[in-house]
Structure formats: C-alpha cells, structure tokens
C-alpha cells in the first residue's frame, strides 16, 4: 500500500516548481503539479491531497488568492491545509508597512516567502500535516 | 470688447464676457475657458494680477493680453507672468482672428502634451509589470534551485565548491534586490500614499530622518547640524514617505561629503510653504548633470567614482515630494557642494 503523503504544487513557473518538487520528493512525499489555478482546482476535486503548496502571483495577477478563497468555500476542500509560497510580499510590503500580507488577503495556514530554504519548507510541510491529522482524530 | 465679440461671432466659439477683473476670475472658474483675453487697464484688480490668478487656477488656460500702445512694456511684463501673447490696440478683425487661432492651437498643444505625459506614466507602470514577471521570475527560480542544490549536495561539496555556491547565491540575491528597487520606483503608488495623508509635523520627520542616518554620518566623522525655526506648521502628508525623502537626501549628502565635513539642514516657513534645505560641502554636481539628477536611472559620472548607485533614490524622492504637492530642486557647484531644497505646502488654516 502506498503510504506516501500526497502533495500538490500550484505555481505557474516550471523552473521554480522543479526545485521545490525535488526537495519534497527527496523527503519521500508524492508530488503532483498544476501550472495554473484552473488545472489545480480540477486536480483537487478529482483526487485526494494532504496538502496544497500555492503560489500567489499567477496569470494576470493574484490568481492564487482567488483560488485559495474558492477552496475555503468548497465543502469538500475546506479543511485542506494550504501553504502559500510567494515572492509577492517583498514587492508590495511597502504599501502595507509592518503588516504581513496574508491575513489581509486570504485565510491560509502558513506563508513562506520565496526563495524557500529547503529545510524550512520540509519543517512547515510536516508540521501542517501533523496539525491536520490532529484535527481529524 | 463688443467689437471683439462681434469678430468672433462668425466662428464656432462659445464666448463669455466680464467687465472687470474679479468678475472675470469668477467667470474663469465657472465657464472653464480654453482662452482668456485680458485687458491690462481695468477697474479693480489689475490685469497682471488677473493673469497670475488664472495661471494659479489652471495653468493650461491660454491668456492673451489686449493693450493700448502706451503699455507695451507692461504687456511684456504680462507675458513674463504667463500670458501667451499680446495684441496692441487698435487691431484689425483679421489680426484678432489670427491671434485667437494661434492661442487655441497653443491650448490644444498644452492639453496634448499633458495627455502624452499621462500615457508615458501608464507605460511606465506596465513596464513595471513586465520587469516583475519577465526578469524577476526566472531569477527567482534560479535562486530557489541553487538553495535546493546546495542542500541536496551538501555532503558531496568541498569547501571551495560551497563558497562558489555561496557567491552565486549572494549575486543572485543582490540582483533580485536591485530589480525590486526598480519596481519600487516604477510602481510607487501615489494614490496609496495619499490615502495615508494626515497633518504631519515636519520637525518630527526631520529628527527621525537624522536619527536613521546618524550611524553613517559618524562613520565618516560628519556632523549633521539641524536648524529648525520652530515651531513649524503641519503639512498634509504621510510621515513614513516624508522621512524616506529626507533620509534619501541626507544619505546622498553623507555619501558625497568628504570626511569631517558638515551637513546643514535648515527648515523654515516661507509663503505658505515649508522649505527644507539640506546643504553639504561635498563633491557637488556638474552643470551638465544637474538637469537630469531627478530622472529614473540617472547616475552622475563623478558620483559613480565614489559609490555605485542605482540612479533611483532621487527619482523616488521626487515622486514622493510631488505626491505631497511639493517640489524639489537643487543648487550645486562642482567640487564645492550641493543644496537640495524640498518645498511642501502647509495646511491652509
């Protein structure tokens, strides 16, 4: 039986994804990828995932935010742990001095800024998975 | 005046008239004309004053002075005050039509120029988006993969290889930082700044700015002397970006000063404005560089010898000051130093 935890990355930059995917696979996770929010949502509906790694700036703007909101409203996906990975904050932080971006835009479990330190990424992923498990039981 | 109206009646103009300066000014506000004829000799407020006030209301309105022969010199004076042209009395209908046409052409040019400038600003913003995606994204991916590779290979790399990886990471990090600075300039969202406007005390702004650059000044043994004619009235602004403005100018003054120099910061109230003057006795700016120093990406030849710069600090500064309805200018002499003047309007009581 396959006991690997299933993760999905939704990010429109294949080169970026390659790096992250490699880290996660080395740590023995099964990793799927979608390169746009539409395909990503389809994948989430058709298959069970334990965690979503989501980019914010995709397509014509902050499409990742829209997707995260959609997921939070979806009865089946509401409990899915979402880890936002973004380079966005450093670009717009000056508009919101001293404020973290995520609570303003989107309800998310965790946010990491690009570039992500591999060790930190693995820590966050494993702690989010444990948290979700604890909630379930 | 009646004869003027008669001459123009045949053309497709909307005409409105006033028989003294004050009436005329009220009419300008209401009627919003493209072109105004002003007689210099009028009862009540003078023609020159009327011109000045029209220019203050809307600088794009074209003003033509109508004057008797005896007052040609005052017509010249009027043109110095912003009138576009003058027509000495008496004049023929053709002369009047001609000057009208020229005035209206001028008005159209002014409006077109403004429109073009606006389009240029919009292009700039789009450029910001392009820079962001096309330049930053691939670099970000390279950076991420470097992180991953280093961690994956960590047991196989020797010290020399590790240090080469580190250098790559540093270089790419610096490059991304530079791109973000560009984005900062190109996308300074003026409206966002304006949302935060509130009465702001300039002496607080100044002391915060000085505090933040003090360590750099001390490293070069420079003294920053501030002379504020207290108390200054508040300006309507955003404290954070105003501090950034003064910091940018002070940081430049420090950068281009010689060790043990003095930097003098003065703040005074003059003519409903606060003027902040920051003077250094550093390397100065050459005459040929002076007109360009507030432009994006401009770096002076002499400055580059001292320290590399992105050529964006002063451009950001200018944009912030302009968002505050203020202005910034510089006086400088090569080898002797520079004085930057920031003017900010105070809140009208």
């Amino acid at each position: 039986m396959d006991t690997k935890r299933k993760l999905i990355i939704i990010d429109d930059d294949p080169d970026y994804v390659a790096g992250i995917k490699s880290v996660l696979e080395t740590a023995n996770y099964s990793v799927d990828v979608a390169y746009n929010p539409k395909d990503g949502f389809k994948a989430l509906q058709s298959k069970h995932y334990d965690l979503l790694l989501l980019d914010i700036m995709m397509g014509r703007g902050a499409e990742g935010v829209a997707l995260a909101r959609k997921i939070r409203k979806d009865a089946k996906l509401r409990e899915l742990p979402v880890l936002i990975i973004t380079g966005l904050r450093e670009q717009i932080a000056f508009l919101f001095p001293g404020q973290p971006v995520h609570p303003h835009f989107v309800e998310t479990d965790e946010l990491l800024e690009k570039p992500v330190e591999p060790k930190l990424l693995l820590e966050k992923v494993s702690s989010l998975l444990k948290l979700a498990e604890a909630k379930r039981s | 005046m009646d004869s003027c109206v008669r001459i123009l009646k045949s053309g497709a103009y909307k005409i409105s008239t006033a028989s003294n300066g004050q009436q005329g000014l009220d009419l300008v506000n209401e009627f919003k004309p493209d072109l105004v004829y002003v007689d210099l000799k009028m009862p009540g407020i003078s023609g020159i004053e009327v011109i000045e006030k029209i220019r203050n209301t809307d600088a794009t309105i074209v003003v033509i002075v109508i004057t008797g022969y005896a007052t040609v010199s005052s017509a010249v004076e009027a043109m110095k005050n912003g009138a576009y042209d003058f027509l000495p009395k008496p004049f023929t209908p053709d002369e009047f039509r001609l000057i009208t046409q020229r005035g209206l052409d001028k008005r159209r040019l002014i409006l077109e120029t403004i429109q073009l400038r606006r389009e240029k600003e919009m292009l700039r913003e789009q450029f910001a988006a392009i820079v962001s995606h096309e330049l930053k994204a691939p670099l970000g991916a390279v950076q991420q993969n470097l992180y991953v590779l280093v961690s994956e290979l960590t047991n196989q790399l020797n010290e020399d290889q590790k240090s080469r990886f580190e250098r790559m990471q540093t270089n790419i990090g610096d490059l991304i930082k530079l791109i973000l600075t560009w984005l900062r300039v190109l996308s300074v969202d003026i409206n966002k700044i304006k949302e935060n406007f509130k009465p702001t005390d300039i002496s607080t702004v100044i002391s915060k700015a000085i505090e933040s650059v003090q360590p750099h000044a001390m490293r070069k043994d420079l003294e920053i002397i501030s002379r504020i004619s207290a108390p200054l009235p508040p300006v309507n602004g955003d404290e954070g970006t105003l501090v950034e403005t003064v910091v940018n100018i002070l940081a430049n003054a420090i950068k281009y000063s010689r060790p043990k120099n003095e930097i003098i910061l003065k703040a005074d109230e003059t003519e409903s404005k606060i003027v902040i003057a920051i003077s250094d006795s550093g390397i100065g700016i050459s005459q040929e560089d002076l007109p360009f120093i507030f432009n994006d990406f401009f770096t002076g030849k002499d400055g580059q010898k001292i320290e590399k710069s992105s050529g964006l600090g002063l451009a950001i500064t200018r944009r912030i000051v302009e968002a505050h309805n203020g202005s910034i200018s510089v006086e400088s002499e090569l080898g002797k130093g520079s004085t930057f003047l920031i003017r900010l309007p105070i809140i009208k009581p």
Side-chain angles (χ1 to χ4, degrees):
Chain A
M1 204 181 97
D2 186 10
T3 54
K4 277 188 182 179
R5 297 308 201 91
K6 293 183 185 64
L7 317 183
I8 179 166
I9 304 171
I10 306 179
D11 189 319
D12 63 352
D13 185 342
D15 293 329
Y16 186 85
V17 168
I20 305 241
K21 190 168 183 267
S22 158
V23 173
L24 295 167
E25 282 175 345
T26 311
N28 215 22
Y29 292 106
S30 134
V31 183
D32 285 352
V33 179
Y35 293 109
N36 63 62
K38 215 175 143 192
D39 291 350
F41 194 68
K42 251 188 236 160
L44 284 168
Q45 282 179 316
S46 62
K47 194 173 155 186
H48 170 80
Y49 288 100
D50 296 300
L51 180 109
L52 162 64
L53 299 107
L54 179 66
D55 181 29
I56 294 261
M57 295 306 279
M58 284 188 281
R60 294 221 193 137
E63 289 183 10
V65 173
L67 180 64
R69 287 189 181 138
K70 205 164 149 192
I71 288 168
R72 283 292 174 256
K73 280 188 197 146
D74 188 284
K76 254 172 65 189
L77 297 173
R78 203 167 16 212
E79 301 296 319
L80 174 72
V82 178
L83 171 57
I84 299 258
I85 300 182
T86 179
L88 176 72
R89 190 182 132 152
E90 49 191 349
Q91 283 176 41
I92 61 162
F94 59 86
L95 297 177
F96 310 95
Q99 295 170 7
V101 161
H102 54 117
H104 287 265
F105 288 127
V106 57
E107 239 182 89
T108 171
D109 300 287
E110 275 291 355
L111 180 138
L112 283 177
E113 285 180 47
K114 290 179 180 179
V116 182
E117 192 64 62
K119 222 178 112 207
L120 189 63
L121 176 69
L122 292 174
E123 277 170 22
K124 290 276 178 201
V125 167
S126 112
S127 77
L128 278 175
L129 287 172
K130 272 190 196 127
L131 205 70
E133 207 162 280
K135 261 196 211 166
R136 262 200 307 273
S137 55
Chain B
M1 183 161 78
D2 290 343
S3 59
C4 294
V5 173
R6 221 173 301 127
I7 295 166
L8 293 180
K9 231 174 189 164
S10 49
Y13 307 112
K14 260 193 211 158
I15 303 162
S16 205
T17 60
S19 53
N20 67 51
Q22 191 51 54
Q23 256 185 37
L25 286 173
D26 294 343
L27 202 57
V28 164
N29 282 322
E30 210 179 289
F31 187 62
K32 303 206 181 313
D34 290 308
L35 192 149
V36 180
Y37 308 95
V38 179
D39 190 346
L40 287 186
K41 282 206 164 165
M42 284 186 295
I45 53 176
S46 76
I48 297 275
E49 210 177 313
V50 170
I51 293 167
E52 260 182 40
K53 292 213 165 126
I54 292 174
R55 303 281 302 170
N56 283 337
T57 320
D58 179 355
T60 68
I61 294 175
V62 172
V63 178
I64 292 172
V65 168
I66 295 178
T67 175
Y69 271 133
T71 55
V72 166
S73 66
S74 54
V76 172
E77 188 60 36
M79 289 182 68
K80 277 189 198 152
N81 277 297
Y84 169 61
D85 206 349
F86 75 97
L87 187 63
K89 290 182 204 168
F91 47 80
T92 67
D94 272 346
E95 280 169 340
F96 188 63
R97 278 189 210 104
L98 192 69
I99 204 166
T100 300
Q101 198 46 59
R102 269 174 28 84
L104 289 173
D105 285 347
K106 171 72 180 174
R107 162 83 172 169
R108 192 171 42 77
L109 270 179
I110 293 171
L111 294 181
E112 273 173 10
T113 309
I114 291 172
Q115 179 63 26
L116 281 174
R117 206 171 292 150
R118 248 178 236 147
E119 277 166 21
K120 200 179 136 200
E121 287 291 319
M122 280 168 67
L123 271 178
R124 184 207 300 284
E125 278 158 27
Q126 282 169 10
F127 180 66
I130 293 166
V131 169
S132 153
H133 251 88
E134 307 301 317
L135 255 173
K136 192 186 158 270
L139 271 177
V142 171
Q143 188 186 38
Q144 182 65 66
N145 279 288
L146 274 176
Y147 271 91
V148 173
L149 280 174
V150 171
S151 101
E152 285 173 346
L153 298 172
T154 188
N155 298 324
Q156 297 159 51
L157 295 174
N158 64 35
E159 284 312 306
D160 178 55
Q161 288 166 327
K162 269 185 196 157
S163 87
R164 271 186 282 160
F165 262 113
E166 263 165 38
R167 290 222 2 105
M168 280 196 269
Q169 279 171 305
T170 312
N171 285 344
I172 288 184
D174 287 350
L175 212 51
I176 289 175
K177 249 186 242 154
L178 183 64
I179 291 172
L180 290 173
T181 317
W182 291 351
L183 278 169
R184 170 87 175 88
V185 171
L186 294 162
S187 62
V188 166
D189 191 332
I190 299 299
N191 295 320
K192 266 279 184 283
I193 299 178
K194 286 182 178 166
E195 279 169 22
N196 294 333
F197 276 13
K198 52 178 177 249
T200 302
D201 177 37
I202 287 298
S203 26
T204 312
V205 168
I206 290 172
S207 53
K208 281 190 179 173
I210 292 180
E211 199 186 308
S212 102
V213 298
Q214 201 59 262
H216 303 283
M218 275 160 66
R219 222 168 291 142
K220 273 178 96 169
D221 215 352
L222 297 165
E223 195 178 351
I224 302 176
I225 301 162
S226 96
R227 295 190 187 126
I228 303 175
S229 62
L232 292 169
V235 303
N236 192 28
D238 168 53
E239 190 178 286
T241 51
L242 284 176
V243 171
E244 188 182 342
T245 298
V246 179
V247 165
N248 281 349
I249 303 291
L250 281 174
N252 272 349
I254 291 167
K255 204 196 287 186
Y256 300 121
S257 281
R258 302 179 183 89
K260 295 197 166 70
N261 275 175
E262 284 177 351
I263 293 165
I264 298 164
L265 187 153
K266 282 191 250 179
D268 297 290
E269 178 190 353
T270 36
E271 290 168 12
S272 71
K273 283 188 176 73
I274 288 180
V275 182
I276 306 169
I278 298 169
S279 312
D280 65 65
S281 39
I283 61 164
I285 304 158
S286 72
Q287 290 303 312
E288 65 237 55
D289 283 350
L290 264 184
F292 306 108
I293 63 159
F294 294 107
N295 289 0
D296 293 344
F297 304 117
F298 180 80
T299 50
K301 283 192 293 293
D302 306 298
Q304 286 299 76
K305 285 179 209 147
I306 292 189
E307 202 174 309
K308 259 196 186 168
S309 91
S310 61
L312 291 168
L314 287 174
I316 296 177
T317 305
R318 173 180 61 88
R319 231 166 268 158
I320 294 172
V321 172
E322 284 174 359
H324 285 82
N325 297 317
S327 63
I328 183 165
S329 60
V330 61
E331 293 155 8
S332 186
E333 204 175 323
L334 198 59
K336 296 205 171 155
S338 311
T339 297
F340 282 83
L341 297 154
I342 301 168
R343 293 174 207 81
L344 297 165
I346 59 182
I347 298 169
K348 279 175 197 146

